[in-house]
Amino acid sequence: MVILERAGDLGGTWRDNTYPGAACDVPSHLYSFSFERKTDWSRRFPPQAEILEYLRHCAREHGVLDLIRFGAEVTEARFDEDAALWRISTTTGDLAARVLVSACGQLNRPELPSIVGRESFAGRPSTPPAGTTAPTCAAGGSR
């Protein structure tokens, strides 16, 4: 098994969204894996850093880090019917697999509207350029 991760670290939205007050909008007792329960959350709606540390802990504890290829963005995946395999192209090379599970997290690729004057706007954007840790708009709200 291999996990392909475009970024240089795990964590997804909890890695990328580091704005002041970033926190979970789900009560903490519901926000832990059944196989790695966390009962000592600091708050009912835990902050971003605490969730990110929990995810890192789980990955370390359960050997997931050894399965992750960081910096490997999937650029194409197609099913080869003759070989009954997925042909996967990444930014670090190609591979084949019998099973492919997509977890692409498309909410981190904003589609900016065509607004006259957008390019010259001097204020702070609500959606940062890719690879930054400024505030972003995401489906998972904060409290």
Side-chain angles (χ1 to χ4, degrees):
M1 182 165 84
V2 64
I3 300 168
L4 303 170
E5 170 57 61
R6 173 182 51 205
D9 191 10
L10 63 84
T13 194
W14 300 112
R15 175 199 61 236
D16 294 343
N17 291 283
T18 60
Y19 55 88
C24 190
D25 61 351
V26 175
S28 55
H29 68 281
L30 298 174
Y31 207 83
S32 63
F33 297 116
S34 60
F35 56 85
E36 186 69 33
R37 296 210 187 272
K38 179 170 172 56
T39 59
D40 62 345
W41 292 103
S42 66
R43 298 189 333 212
R44 183 168 185 216
F45 297 97
Q48 170 269 339
E50 188 174 3
I51 295 170
L52 181 57
E53 182 47 43
Y54 169 72
L55 295 175
R56 288 176 173 155
H57 161 80
C58 290
R60 284 189 306 270
E61 187 71 23
H62 295 279
V64 174
L65 289 176
D66 295 335
L67 303 174
I68 302 175
R69 290 187 193 169
F70 293 106
E73 180 175 4
V74 174
T75 57
E76 179 184 22
R78 61 180 176 77
F79 189 70
D80 179 342
E81 291 190 30
D82 293 334
L85 292 172
W86 284 95
R87 304 292 181 184
I88 305 160
S89 297
T90 77
T91 53
T92 60
D94 297 338
L95 58 139
R98 291 187 324 234
V99 177
L100 172 67
V101 177
S102 176
C104 52
Q106 291 299 311
L107 293 176
N108 62 4
R109 294 182 186 218
E111 182 65 35
L112 300 177
S114 250
I115 298 173
V116 175
R118 189 187 71 185
E119 296 79 20
S120 61
F121 177 67
R124 186 176 183 173
S126 64
T127 305
T132 64
T133 55
T136 62
C137 296
S142 297
R143 295 201 189 263

